[in-house]
Amino acid sequence: MQNYLYLCIAKLKTMTEKLKFFPIGLVVVALGVVAWCMLHYEENLLWKVQELNLFLDTPLFFKQQMVVPGGMLTYLGTFFTEFFYHAWQGVLLLCAWWGLLVWLSSKAFRVPVKWLTLLLVPVVLLLATNMELGYWIYYLKLRGYYFVATIGLTLAMAAVWGFRCVPSKVRVAYVVVSALVLYPLLGAYGLLAVVLMGLLSWQHQEMSILHRGINCVVALLLAWLVPKGYYWLVYYQTSIDDIYMAALPVFEMDKTYMQYYVPFVLLGVFYLLLCLPVPAAFKKKADNIVIWATCQVLLLVGGMTYGVKQFWYRDYNFEKELEMRHALEQEDWEGMVRAAVDLQDEPTRAIVLMKNLALFRLGRQGDEMYHYRTGSKPYNTPLKPNMTQIVGRVIYYQYGQLNYCYRWCLEDGVEYGWRAEYLKYMTRCALLNEEYAVAAKYIGLLKHTRFHKAWAEEQEQYLKNPEKLNDDKNYAIIKRLKVAEDHLGSDKGLAEMYLMNVLLDVNTRDPLVQELTLLSALWQKDIGMFWPRFSNYAMLHVGEHMPKHYQEAAYLYGHLEQQVDISHMPFDADVVQNYEEFMQLAQRCAGMSEEQMKPIFYPKFGHTFYYEYFLIRNQKTN
């Protein structure tokens, strides 16, 4: 029996030796799973991230990034972020950086190959910093955010590895040079590298205690003094309160949202813990294959699963908004409508606005507007997002309010940094406003991008031949919609309400635009404003079938006020029948609150204007 146990232990040791390179495969598999999840679940998010990014291959753009500490990171971050234009390219690059980070970290901290999966912890935390954002993507001011932390830590680990490799005699000089070079290039990540060099000095047994102590003290002093020195000599335009936070994001709007800093704090703590000497007892126990395998499972399955579940922001409406926004940029109106079918949750107003826009462009809004779930669900975020940042500027453009579209692109560009999306819409607005010199400026900038260059060159044809705008069906429609008064005032951030009020006052004989005035009257539920617009619509569409929702509104208003004779109007049979059944059910539900009545009425009447008029309230939000 004893011999059998010895034999088993010997086999386990042999197996351990054979499996010592197995963690490399685990790291590759883990990165592959992460890549698949990002591509499968977040393709629209990654597309949006690159739209809210701008990298220009010009010397001036490089100089603009380098005027603040950590500027090299933002330059590299914006460069790599643009590859999310094709999501698979950006994801592969990001995972490649993470793989490099794991390898350099193992070199810097001399982590054995069999414990390589331990270094997936920072990868999970970096994934969390990207996936926890949600609506922050519209408000973050740190350029190239999705790559900045990854590149910063990777280069910091390369510097720490260099510290390991240089002779002990020159390590103090290496720390000094690193502090002076890394801070302007990497900001806070450079300071972290310097601190880690100082702490790692205690692991170098070949150095005297005095020498190790000097290294550590010099590193800590440099991490404290170098940012101050650079502030007084070079980066005086940076706030002194931010000099130690350079190249880190600022999660602050109406208040500071500390929960978003948690992964960044854990990253710093993790690398500081790696500087601690490993107890000899643990090294001995670590040779036990059971302990080794258990740790691998806990790190991979437990750690990654918990980290992803805890920090990966998943919200149904947010994902629907991104899906519809992506389809809108491709002018895929049918795709936008498909995204609004059978919603699993009450939609936000951004979803409702985009759905209505798609139906309008397809000529089906009057018949189908209420066939889709409506609502005004608050955004699932601790922030207080404004519709103008989410979809407002685009909605203004699509309805011909070019000044407001241009205004919000300009203001947000100044506040949050210039982005490809802003420049593209400012180009469109300038072309339609016949401001060709302005359009040429934005086209010139976009021609210095990698993936938006082709779009810019396509727009360039309109500078020399403006009449070609009429041949483009989408530009032609926007030009028709410009008949609505396009001045500039204050919409108070209430994009939907402002737009509906503007459209309600339009007086035109253009059938396309006139229908918008009728739709805005339905939105306002204003009976007095509805009748003249309904009459105009009927006169402009003589001999055509009246859309269903317009009939429902006329039939309802005719019975509510009885000031307009509707007896001669040819209402569809189902319009009349639905009204009568709705009112009969309303009498049976007398005494109930609106919230109690909604689930009773929705299955039968949720697709009608009757339900909208009586049971949908407080929709006029931003």
Side-chain angles (χ1 to χ4, degrees), residues 388 392-412 422 425-435 438 442 478 481-491 495 498-499 502:
T388 53
R393 68 174 66 85
V394 182
I395 291 296
Y396 277 134
Y397 171 80
Q398 292 292 343
Y399 285 108
Q401 293 293 298
L402 304 183
N403 283 347
Y404 267 96
C405 175
Y406 190 94
R407 171 260 182 100
W408 281 111
C409 289
L410 185 63
E411 289 192 10
D412 288 344
Y422 300 168
Y425 274 96
M426 292 168 81
T427 300
R428 294 181 175 111
C429 291
L431 287 172
L432 289 167
N433 283 330
E434 300 180 5
E435 298 168 338
V438 176
Y442 301 135
I478 304 302
L481 297 177
K482 278 184 65 181
V483 298
E485 184 179 1
D486 188 16
H487 60 272
L488 194 59
S490 175
D491 60 2
Y498 175 81
L499 183 61
V502 168

Side-chain angles (χ1 to χ4, degrees), residues 14-81:
T14 303
M15 187 182 300
T16 303
E17 288 297 318
K18 290 181 178 180
L19 291 176
K20 68 178 182 179
F21 294 108
F22 183 63
I24 297 177
L26 291 179
V27 170
V28 174
V29 170
L31 291 176
V33 171
V34 168
W36 181 86
C37 289
M38 293 180 70
L39 290 172
H40 182 72
Y41 293 110
E42 304 295 355
E43 183 178 3
N44 291 314
L45 171 66
L46 299 177
W47 166 82
K48 187 62 178 179
V49 165
Q50 65 81 30
E51 285 289 299
L52 298 175
N53 178 71
L54 183 67
F55 176 84
L56 304 176
D57 59 358
T58 64
L60 178 59
F61 181 79
F62 176 77
K63 292 177 182 177
Q64 288 174 332
Q65 308 314 304
M66 299 304 293
V67 297
V68 295
M72 179 59 72
L73 284 184
T74 60
Y75 183 79
L76 293 174
T78 53
F79 170 75
F80 284 103
T81 299

Side-chain angles (χ1 to χ4, degrees), residues 324-378:
M324 296 179 75
R325 188 69 180 78
H326 197 174
L328 194 159
E329 280 304 306
Q330 297 170 331
E331 296 171 352
D332 180 8
W333 311 112
E334 289 287 359
M336 293 173 67
V337 172
R338 284 194 300 271
V341 173
D342 298 329
L343 295 175
Q344 299 173 11
D345 195 3
E346 177 188 348
T348 60
R349 290 311 290 174
I351 293 175
V352 175
L353 267 176
M354 286 190 281
K355 176 264 297 179
N356 287 341
L357 169 64
L359 289 174
F360 170 69
R361 293 296 291 268
L362 292 169
R364 291 157 36 192
Q365 191 171 0
D367 283 309
E368 300 180 24
M369 180 167 50
Y370 302 123
H371 287 200
Y372 304 84
R373 190 168 182 179
T374 188
S376 183
K377 186 173 183 178

Side-chain angles (χ1 to χ4, degrees), residues 313-330:
Y313 179 84
R314 299 300 307 277
D315 177 66
Y316 182 81
N317 279 336
F318 179 68
E319 292 162 10
K320 277 294 178 183
E321 288 169 4
L322 292 173
E323 180 184 354
M324 296 179 75
R325 188 69 180 78
H326 197 174
L328 194 159
E329 280 304 306
Q330 297 170 331

